[in-house]
Amino acid sequence: MSESALPTLNTWVEIPKNSDFTIYNLPFGVFKNKKLSPRIGVAIGDKIVDLSVLDQEGFFSSLFLPEGIFMNDSLNELIALGKAQTKKIRERVQNLLLEENEELKNHSARGKVMVNRKEAEMLLPVKIGDYTDFYSSIEHATNVGKMFRDPENALLPNWKHLPVGYHGRASSIVVSGTPIHRPKGQFKDPDMEKPAFGPSRRLDFELEMAFITGKQTKLGDTVSTGEAEEYIFGMVLFNDWSARDIQAWEYVPLGPFLGKNFGSSISPWVVTLEALEPFRVEGPIQEPEVLDYLKCEKSHSFDINLEVFIQPEGKKASKVCTSNFKHMYWNIAQQLAHHTVNGCNINVGDMMASGTISGSTENSYGSMLELSWKGSKAVPLEDGEERKFIEDGDTVIMKGFAEKDGIRVGFGEVAGQILPAKN
Amino acid sequence: MSESALPTLNTWVEIPKNSDFTIYNLPFGVFKNKKLSPRIGVAIGDKIVDLSVLDQEGFFSSLFLPEGIFMNDSLNELIALGKAQTKKIRERVQNLLLEENEELKNHSARGKVMVNRKEAEMLLPVKIGDYTDFYSSIEHATNVGKMFRDPENALLPNWKHLPVGYHGRASSIVVSGTPIHRPKGQFKDPDMEKPAFGPSRRLDFELEMAFITGKQTKLGDTVSTGEAEEYIFGMVLFNDWSARDIQAWEYVPLGPFLGKNFGSSISPWVVTLEALEPFRVEGPIQEPEVLDYLKCEKSHSFDINLEVFIQPEGKKASKVCTSNFKHMYWNIAQQLAHHTVNGCNINVGDMMASGTISGSTENSYGSMLELSWKGSKAVPLEDGEERKFIEDGDTVIMKGFAEKDGIRVGFGEVAGQILPAKN
């Protein structure tokens, strides 16, 4: 599928070594800066291509786009144009950035088009309608099952038959860089006679990725695994902050609620499925065989390296986890097919997260719950620090990138600092 | 609190006997008809007061409303004006409809203002941001616990300490009258060796009410029980359609998902908290004592009669349930205070449903699951029909009204027909 080497593309934009934002990537985001109101851009190296200026200068005239489509504080309207159009926009931008293309390179508007990424503030890229969180890593589900249920029967009976998922809170999804206050809530540890109220004592991250839907369905309609990628615009990194003590007390029988909905953080640049195409890999073998509606004609797994760092306030960041998106047992096509098989309708801008992405080795676990094995052992950081869970002032940084044949397509990062609980 | 009798109000509008839409009610909704584009109205008797026409004719001039505020396909912008304003709008409408007020009664625009309700199509009244479903009836939670867990310990340990809730799907909430296809999905009955896929065999309703938030908070902010009603605009009837077989197989450990998100139906008229004020009653005693953040200074329970009817296609409707909103163990102020105590932010137009409202008698159970006791006994309908669950072609109708001292404030109904599963 992705066996053929990509054609080498050269750009006139300077691309720093190991940049996530190469000519092969070109993710979409929403930004503003001191002078510019919110608008849509594409990241390349340390720059942002201001698509609204490109549009004003007539560079998209052959695409007949709606007026002002890039002068927008979310990608929703752009995405809603449909994949045929957004693909053409991305290809046009790629073409304009090629070394051999002089249209923009030698254009008087070039300075206005190319905005410094450092000076830009990234905004939440989409207005999220509904948010769903899956639970699709077999390693994560097994670890949690071992810790909280039966080590011999760690996976619940339904787990290998369907991509378990639940609805989350859309309103509290924030863009990278937004600090989050430690949540307060009820908890009752096994040794407590009755529940108590206070700041969470076991605050955690969950390393996830999420896809953003780009096409709506009507109530009653379904999306097959074969059609699914037509409905997926792109992906982001997703930190599903979790308060383990609140979650443990509240979640029976209807699932996680306040242990999750105090905040989730996403990376600002939406990497398109087109950019991820070269990194498509075979997914894990699913045994027992899945029901027909979950079967796939082709692979929908992607080889994306993932890393998590913890940075205590004023100190160095330490890597605590190295994982990969390809570990996911259930893929994005199966997730979307399952979600809609009952007729549940989706809208442009819905977000569906993977669930914690753990690998099989101890350093690949995607949460402190697993890394510290329920708080039973400290995870060493640099500078003599150690952590069982996240402390006030800590910043959690997640990075993700795909790399093959010298070609890199990355997500940048999602970072968020935990502030003390509010009084 | 509600001891003093209401002043008697007479209106020049003809109010049919037992109308839910009296001069004391005046709920808000969004409607259109063959001639009129979507707009906001207030129900009175068999009429709708077209607020956009009232506004054009200058009847709200003293309120300095934003231009075109009523020419809207949702109530969100109106609600976002704040309770001080929406209260004044409702009071102004009430005043204009009084017998002794001749402003509208004798105005040339009266015919244009008063639209026939029968000829109007009601639309979904709000753009719903996030939807949460609680589980706040102790009778319902006890019944479910007896059926599926331990009859001796039916309530889970957390139930009396916090209003258990979970996130639901906002996109699939539809207005009364919208038919719903029977969902397909996975199920695995205890006697099955492996899961199967097909149309749900145990389709159910859940009798609920939901409140709509009218004021937003920022991430990190909390709303106390004392402040909660300032954040609640009004209420609707809510049918939380449920596929019991799909739900039973999928819901461990993260809660209901496809067993619920194929559709939920709401009544079109949003009854304001102001209209419900006369029906405020003491809630149940909560023992053990709740944590401080869940304590209430005053009562937040309301005496609202609820009924459920099943109407097989082409036959008479049969009442199968008579319940009351006052049975709720956890009230709306506690629900909202709990939801936000961790800093979860709310937006205007969020919907929070009560959970199934069951009473203590067998005819007051708010779902077929309970009425047929897990399908173990048939519920008799008129014309010799009987039901354990909902069959194709059945329409489920829920009604709700409060009544006191000859004053009636009702919700109308939420009705929905189940169509066969799609091929």
Side-chain angles (χ1 to χ4, degrees):
Chain A
M1 223 159 284
S2 53
E3 292 308 302
S4 57
L6 274 183
T8 302
L9 303 175
N10 292 309
T11 171
W12 48 262
V13 182
E14 193 191 321
I15 309 289
K17 198 167 173 269
N18 285 333
S19 174
D20 282 344
F21 304 127
T22 63
I23 185 76
Y24 304 95
N25 190 351
L26 305 176
F28 291 86
V30 178
F31 74 99
K32 64 176 185 180
N33 65 21
K34 280 183 188 156
K35 287 180 189 163
L36 304 174
S37 60
R39 61 195 56 206
I40 294 174
V42 158
I44 175 94
D46 292 337
K47 299 284 184 183
I48 298 171
V49 183
D50 184 335
L51 299 187
S52 73
V53 178
L54 274 190
D55 193 27
Q56 283 154 25
E57 297 290 338
F59 285 102
F60 296 121
S61 59
S62 65
L63 299 181
F64 304 101
L65 301 175
E67 208 186 312
I69 187 78
F70 300 114
M71 283 301 295
N72 222 315
D73 63 358
S74 83
L75 298 177
N76 295 53
E77 266 185 69
L78 172 66
I79 297 175
L81 294 179
K83 213 169 239 213
Q85 276 295 65
T86 54
K87 264 172 89 164
K88 279 184 202 156
I89 293 167
R90 184 170 162 276
E91 282 162 10
R92 175 68 175 138
V93 173
Q94 189 172 55
N95 193 261
L96 286 171
L97 298 175
L98 289 179
E99 183 62 49
E100 60 268 28
N101 187 326
E102 311 215 328
E103 284 179 86
L104 177 59
K105 189 179 174 181
N106 295 332
H107 195 281
S108 60
R110 171 174 160 174
K112 217 176 142 198
V113 169
M114 306 302 285
V115 176
N116 285 329
R117 209 148 55 71
K118 264 192 191 156
E119 289 152 23
E121 180 189 343
M122 298 306 299
L123 306 178
L124 194 70
V126 278
K127 283 205 171 67
I128 301 158
D130 278 289
Y131 153 52
T132 297
D133 194 21
F134 286 95
Y135 186 56
S136 290
S137 152
I138 196 165
E139 289 82 6
H140 173 65
T142 304
N143 285 339
V144 171
K146 279 183 189 167
M147 273 184 253
F148 292 99
R149 287 180 292 268
D150 179 1
E152 300 306 309
N153 292 287
L155 280 187
L156 286 163
N158 58 10
W159 200 91
K160 284 190 167 185
H161 294 283
L162 54 85
V164 170
Y166 66 106
H167 299 294
R169 181 86 188 173
S171 72
S172 53
I173 297 176
V174 296
V175 73
S176 177
T178 311
I180 305 246
H181 285 275
R182 179 178 297 272
K184 292 182 182 179
Q186 274 194 43
F187 42 81
K188 184 179 172 296
D189 299 341
D191 61 344
M192 290 164 62
E193 204 183 305
K194 52 184 189 177
F197 177 83
S200 169
R201 294 102 13 103
R202 294 206 290 278
L203 189 58
D204 203 354
F205 60 79
E206 288 194 334
L207 168 64
E208 306 196 12
M209 297 195 69
F211 66 81
I212 293 165
T213 53
K215 190 173 167 183
Q216 67 172 13
T217 63
K218 280 189 294 216
L219 191 64
D221 287 352
T222 58
V223 176
S224 69
T225 57
E227 297 162 331
E229 289 194 13
E230 273 307 304
Y231 288 80
I232 298 174
F233 175 72
M235 299 197 71
V236 292
L237 301 169
F238 193 100
N239 181 354
D240 180 23
W241 297 101
S242 300
R244 300 298 179 190
D245 42 0
I246 296 172
Q247 187 183 341
W249 171 232
E250 75 178 355
Y251 92 105
V252 178
L254 299 179
F257 185 46
L258 299 191
K260 299 277 190 178
N261 66 16
F262 59 92
S264 315
S265 304
I266 64 170
S267 55
W269 292 106
V270 184
V271 176
T272 63
L273 283 199
E274 290 77 44
L276 293 173
E277 186 58 45
F279 312 101
R280 197 183 285 272
V281 288
E282 286 303 316
I285 291 166
Q286 296 185 317
E287 178 55 44
E289 194 181 42
V290 298
L291 283 163
D292 282 348
Y293 78 96
L294 291 169
K295 286 180 184 153
C296 299
E297 295 266 313
K298 68 171 191 177
S299 163
H300 302 280
S301 292
F302 298 90
D303 182 356
I304 301 168
N305 302 292
L306 298 168
E307 301 172 321
V308 185
F309 301 81
I310 296 176
Q311 181 167 26
E313 193 146 31
K315 303 214 168 165
K316 263 197 286 191
S318 302
K319 195 197 285 193
V320 295
C321 163
T322 305
S323 188
N324 194 302
F325 187 58
K326 71 181 176 191
H327 295 317
M328 304 304 292
Y329 188 88
W330 295 102
N331 65 49
I332 57 176
Q334 291 176 317
Q335 288 167 344
L336 190 57
H338 183 63
H339 204 317
T340 59
V341 77
N342 67 344
C344 178
N345 58 325
I346 57 170
N347 288 309
V348 171
D350 288 347
M351 187 160 281
M352 303 195 186
S354 57
T356 307
I357 305 165
S358 294
S360 55
T361 58
E362 282 190 23
N363 71 343
S364 67
Y365 295 166
S367 65
M368 292 305 288
L369 179 71
E370 294 161 89
L371 290 166
S372 76
W373 207 255
K374 217 178 163 181
S376 66
K377 56 182 182 190
V379 177
L381 307 185
E382 300 198 39
D383 293 335
E385 295 265 339
E386 57 175 35
R387 288 289 182 276
K388 289 180 174 173
F389 289 96
I390 301 303
E391 296 187 6
D392 289 349
D394 286 356
T395 297
V396 174
I397 304 153
M398 296 175 178
K399 299 184 183 185
F401 63 96
E403 206 158 28
K404 189 183 172 186
D405 302 334
I407 285 170
R408 180 166 168 133
V409 168
F411 288 77
E413 63 177 38
V414 53
Q417 189 184 28
I418 292 298
L419 303 180
K422 274 191 170 185
N423 271 332
Chain B
M1 222 160 286
S2 56
E3 291 308 302
S4 56
L6 274 183
T8 303
L9 303 175
N10 292 308
T11 171
W12 48 262
V13 183
E14 194 190 319
I15 309 291
K17 200 168 172 270
N18 286 333
S19 174
D20 281 346
F21 304 126
T22 63
I23 185 76
Y24 304 96
N25 189 351
L26 305 177
F28 291 85
V30 178
F31 74 100
K32 65 176 184 179
N33 66 21
K34 279 182 187 157
K35 288 180 189 163
L36 305 174
S37 60
R39 61 196 56 207
I40 295 174
V42 157
I44 175 93
D46 292 337
K47 299 285 183 180
I48 298 171
V49 183
D50 184 334
L51 299 188
S52 73
V53 178
L54 272 191
D55 192 27
Q56 282 153 25
E57 297 290 338
F59 284 102
F60 295 122
S61 58
S62 65
L63 298 182
F64 303 101
L65 302 175
E67 208 185 311
I69 186 79
F70 301 113
M71 283 302 294
N72 222 315
D73 63 359
S74 82
L75 298 178
N76 295 53
E77 267 185 68
L78 173 66
I79 297 175
L81 294 179
K83 215 170 237 214
Q85 276 296 62
T86 54
K87 264 171 89 165
K88 278 184 203 156
I89 292 167
R90 183 170 162 273
E91 282 162 9
R92 175 67 175 140
V93 173
Q94 189 173 56
N95 192 260
L96 286 171
L97 298 174
L98 289 179
E99 183 61 49
E100 60 268 29
N101 186 327
E102 310 215 329
E103 285 178 86
L104 176 61
K105 189 179 173 181
N106 295 332
H107 195 281
S108 60
R110 171 174 159 173
K112 217 175 143 197
V113 169
M114 305 301 287
V115 177
N116 285 331
R117 207 147 57 73
K118 265 193 190 156
E119 289 152 23
E121 179 188 342
M122 298 306 300
L123 306 177
L124 194 69
V126 279
K127 285 206 170 67
I128 300 159
D130 278 290
Y131 153 53
T132 298
D133 195 20
F134 285 94
Y135 187 57
S136 291
S137 152
I138 196 164
E139 289 81 6
H140 173 66
T142 304
N143 285 339
V144 171
K146 279 184 188 168
M147 273 184 255
F148 293 98
R149 286 179 294 267
D150 178 2
E152 300 305 309
N153 292 289
L155 280 187
L156 286 163
N158 58 11
W159 201 91
K160 285 190 167 185
H161 293 283
L162 54 85
V164 170
Y166 66 107
H167 299 295
R169 181 86 188 172
S171 72
S172 54
I173 298 176
V174 296
V175 73
S176 178
T178 310
I180 305 245
H181 285 276
R182 178 177 298 271
K184 291 182 181 178
Q186 274 195 42
F187 42 81
K188 183 178 172 298
D189 299 340
D191 61 345
M192 289 164 62
E193 205 184 304
K194 53 184 190 175
F197 177 82
S200 169
R201 296 98 17 99
R202 295 205 291 278
L203 188 58
D204 203 354
F205 60 81
E206 288 195 334
L207 169 64
E208 305 196 11
M209 297 194 69
F211 65 81
I212 293 164
T213 53
K215 191 174 166 181
Q216 68 172 13
T217 63
K218 280 190 294 216
L219 191 63
D221 287 352
T222 58
V223 176
S224 68
T225 56
E227 296 162 333
E229 289 194 13
E230 273 307 304
Y231 288 79
I232 298 174
F233 175 71
M235 299 197 71
V236 292
L237 301 170
F238 193 100
N239 181 354
D240 180 22
W241 297 101
S242 299
R244 299 300 178 189
D245 42 2
I246 297 171
Q247 187 183 341
W249 171 232
E250 75 178 354
Y251 92 106
V252 178
L254 299 179
F257 185 46
L258 299 191
K260 299 279 189 178
N261 66 17
F262 59 92
S264 315
S265 305
I266 65 170
S267 54
W269 292 106
V270 184
V271 176
T272 63
L273 283 200
E274 290 76 42
L276 293 173
E277 185 58 44
F279 311 102
R280 196 183 287 273
V281 289
E282 287 302 317
I285 292 167
Q286 296 184 316
E287 176 57 42
E289 194 181 43
V290 298
L291 283 162
D292 282 348
Y293 78 95
L294 292 168
K295 285 180 184 153
C296 299
E297 295 266 313
K298 68 171 192 176
S299 163
H300 302 279
S301 293
F302 298 90
D303 181 358
I304 302 169
N305 302 291
L306 299 168
E307 301 172 322
V308 185
F309 301 81
I310 297 176
Q311 181 167 25
E313 193 146 30
K315 303 213 168 165
K316 263 195 287 191
S318 301
K319 193 196 287 193
V320 294
C321 163
T322 305
S323 188
N324 195 301
F325 187 59
K326 72 182 175 189
H327 295 319
M328 304 304 292
Y329 188 87
W330 295 101
N331 65 51
I332 55 175
Q334 291 176 317
Q335 289 167 343
L336 190 57
H338 183 64
H339 205 315
T340 59
V341 77
N342 67 344
C344 177
N345 57 325
I346 58 171
N347 287 309
V348 171
D350 288 348
M351 187 160 281
M352 304 197 184
S354 57
T356 307
I357 305 164
S358 294
S360 54
T361 58
E362 283 191 21
N363 71 342
S364 67
Y365 295 167
S367 66
M368 291 305 287
L369 178 71
E370 295 162 88
L371 290 166
S372 76
W373 206 255
K374 218 177 163 181
S376 66
K377 57 183 182 190
V379 177
L381 307 184
E382 299 198 41
D383 293 334
E385 295 264 340
E386 57 176 35
R387 288 290 182 276
K388 289 180 175 173
F389 288 97
I390 301 303
E391 296 187 4
D392 289 349
D394 287 356
T395 298
V396 174
I397 305 153
M398 297 176 178
K399 299 184 183 185
F401 64 94
E403 205 158 30
K404 188 183 173 187
D405 302 336
I407 286 170
R408 181 165 167 134
V409 168
F411 288 78
E413 65 177 37
V414 54
Q417 189 185 26
I418 293 298
L419 302 179
K422 275 192 169 182
N423 269 333

